Every structure is written in C-alpha cells, then in structure tokens.
Amino acid sequence: MEFKKKLKQRLYIAVSYIVIGLVLIAADALNHFENHYFASFGMALIVMGILRLIRHRKVTKDEAAIRRQEVAETDERTLMMAEKARSWAFTYSILIAGIAVIILSLLGKHDTAQPFAWFVCGQVVLYWICWLILRKKY
C-alpha cells in the first residue's frame, strides 16, 4: 500500500511538471523576454512530465507490474548502487569544480573561477551540516 502512495505522488509530480512548463511557456509568450529561457525550460519540463506519465502508465498497468517495480526499487543491490552513484557524483562534482578553480585562477580568470569556488564551499558546508545531522541520528 505504501508503494502505491509513492506511485500516486509520482503521478502528481509528473502532472505538476507539465503545468509548470505550460506556465513558463505562457509567461515567456506574454512578457516577450530577451532570451527564451522560460520557453526552453518550460518545454523541457513538459517533456519530462510526459515521459514520467508514460513510465507511470507502464508501471501501473496491472498488479504484477506494480509488484515487479516495487521489488526492483527496494532491492538491496539497487539501493546500494544508487547510494554509491550519489556519493560518486557528489565527490567528482566537488573535485572537478576544485580543479576548475585552480586552472582558471592560474589563467588569471578570477571572476570566472569565483562561482566554482563558491560551489565547492557550499557543497562542503552542506556536507558538514548533513554529517552533523546524521551523527546525531545514528
């Protein structure tokens, strides 16, 4: 029953992506912004929402499909791989941004390097906040 609630939430999220995308496209059309960032982002949200709706339809077509999806999502190996992927993405994004800061600073492009430096600092602060919360929890 809990997994069916999760599936229903995913359906609502997919519909909200489509609605937000339509709102962004309408805002872009009504305000005639210099760039078409809102329209592009709105189209991307609409496509994501439609793809999520298609996936939702595949998963919820019968009870056996729902059960297969639940087992696939709660499998220990899948959960371990997802955790590792998040960990690697976090680590490598900080590493790449740190290298970008060093290279850009050596090239004398300090203004370009600054957002990367702020990103690294923000990620490290976020990491330590999460660490402190998890330390108290566990």
Side-chain angles (χ1 to χ4, degrees):
M1 188 54 95
E2 186 70 28
F3 189 69
K4 287 186 180 183
K5 284 183 181 178
K6 189 181 221 180
L7 290 175
K8 193 174 281 193
Q9 277 183 324
R10 290 178 184 171
L11 175 64
Y12 295 149
I13 290 170
V15 171
S16 64
Y17 280 177
I18 294 171
V19 170
I20 293 170
L22 290 172
V23 168
L24 288 174
I25 290 172
D28 185 63
L30 294 174
N31 290 322
H32 304 292
F33 295 111
E34 289 180 22
N35 59 16
H36 294 285
Y37 173 77
F38 284 134
S40 302
F41 192 59
M43 285 301 289
L45 283 175
I46 290 172
V47 169
M48 285 176 28
I50 291 170
L51 291 175
R52 282 178 160 254
L53 286 176
I54 292 169
R55 180 161 171 75
H56 183 270
R57 176 120 167 99
K58 278 184 182 179
V59 169
T60 59
K61 65 182 169 186
D62 60 11
E63 285 296 319
I66 293 173
R67 181 70 184 134
R68 278 193 307 273
Q69 186 67 28
E70 182 179 10
V71 168
E73 288 186 23
T74 57
D75 179 46
E76 288 180 25
R77 182 174 176 263
T78 304
L79 296 174
M80 183 267 306
M81 288 184 342
E83 187 65 31
K84 284 257 189 224
R86 272 193 298 271
S87 176
W88 285 12
F90 179 79
T91 301
Y92 289 124
S93 68
I94 291 175
L95 185 64
I96 290 168
I99 291 170
V101 169
I102 293 168
I103 290 172
L104 290 169
S105 294
L106 290 174
L107 294 174
K109 300 183 183 243
H110 301 292
D111 290 340
T112 308
Q114 192 169 10
F116 292 104
W118 282 111
F119 171 78
V120 171
C121 291
Q123 290 291 339
V124 171
V125 167
L126 179 63
Y127 173 80
W128 280 106
I129 290 170
C130 293
W131 174 266
L132 292 173
I133 292 170
L134 289 172
R135 192 176 76 180
K136 287 182 181 179
K137 185 175 181 178
Y138 299 108

